[in-house]
Amino acid sequence: QVQLVESGGGLVQPGGSLRLSCAASGSIFSINYMGWYRQAPGKERELVATIGGGTYYADSVKGRFTISRDNAKNTVDLQMNSLKPEDTAVYYCNADVVRSTSYGNKGFLYWGQGTQVTVSS
């Protein structure tokens, strides 16, 4: 199996910064892409950023958030700057992981348990 473990959430004042980290471990052949989603209370989960062949950012975080990845360590980070109260949410890491199976290499989508980010004065 594969586990994704996030860290780095917390409480920060508006305009502040936080860095989220996610580490994938387990039976991994390769990882196609990794990304971050978030879910605010009463709202649907939304895509924040992904990194694979390239990077993608939601319009709401462009210019403020930066996603980076260490392929050797199977980790993905999300540097969040100029945080706003509307960034408050549970942030989830996800990864498209290729595993070796009896039927060949197959891709599986995994999620972390989530880490709370609260932006408030």
Side-chain angles (χ1 to χ4, degrees), residues 47-76:
L47 176 62
V48 176
T50 62
I51 184 167
T55 57
Y56 166 86
Y57 295 95
D59 287 343
S60 59
V61 306
K62 280 181 182 176
R64 299 189 297 122
F65 291 11
T66 302
I67 190 170
S68 59
R69 177 178 169 183
D70 186 329
N71 292 330
K73 296 181 179 180
N74 291 330
T75 59
V76 62

Side-chain angles (χ1 to χ4, degrees), residues 1-7 21-28 30-31 33-37 45 69 73-76 91-99 108-115:
Q1 275 291 355
V2 173
Q3 297 80 39
L4 300 183
V5 178
E6 301 116 332
S7 61
S21 296
C22 173
S25 62
S27 180
I28 299 171
S30 64
I31 299 179
Y33 74 83
M34 301 184 80
W36 290 93
Y37 285 69
R45 190 172 298 189
R69 177 178 169 183
K73 296 181 179 180
N74 291 330
T75 59
V76 62
Y91 283 70
Y92 296 90
C93 170
N94 87 332
D96 181 14
V97 177
V98 178
R99 296 176 55 196
F108 298 86
L109 191 62
Y110 291 94
W111 292 88
Q113 80 285 357
T115 185

Side-chain angles (χ1 to χ4, degrees), residues 74-111:
N74 291 330
T75 59
V76 62
D77 291 347
L78 185 68
Q79 177 65 42
M80 305 185 294
N81 299 327
S82 302
L83 282 162
K84 305 175 181 179
E86 51 263 43
D87 294 318
T88 295
V90 178
Y91 283 70
Y92 296 90
C93 170
N94 87 332
D96 181 14
V97 177
V98 178
R99 296 176 55 196
S100 296
T101 73
S102 301
Y103 305 98
N105 292 338
K106 290 186 176 293
F108 298 86
L109 191 62
Y110 291 94
W111 292 88

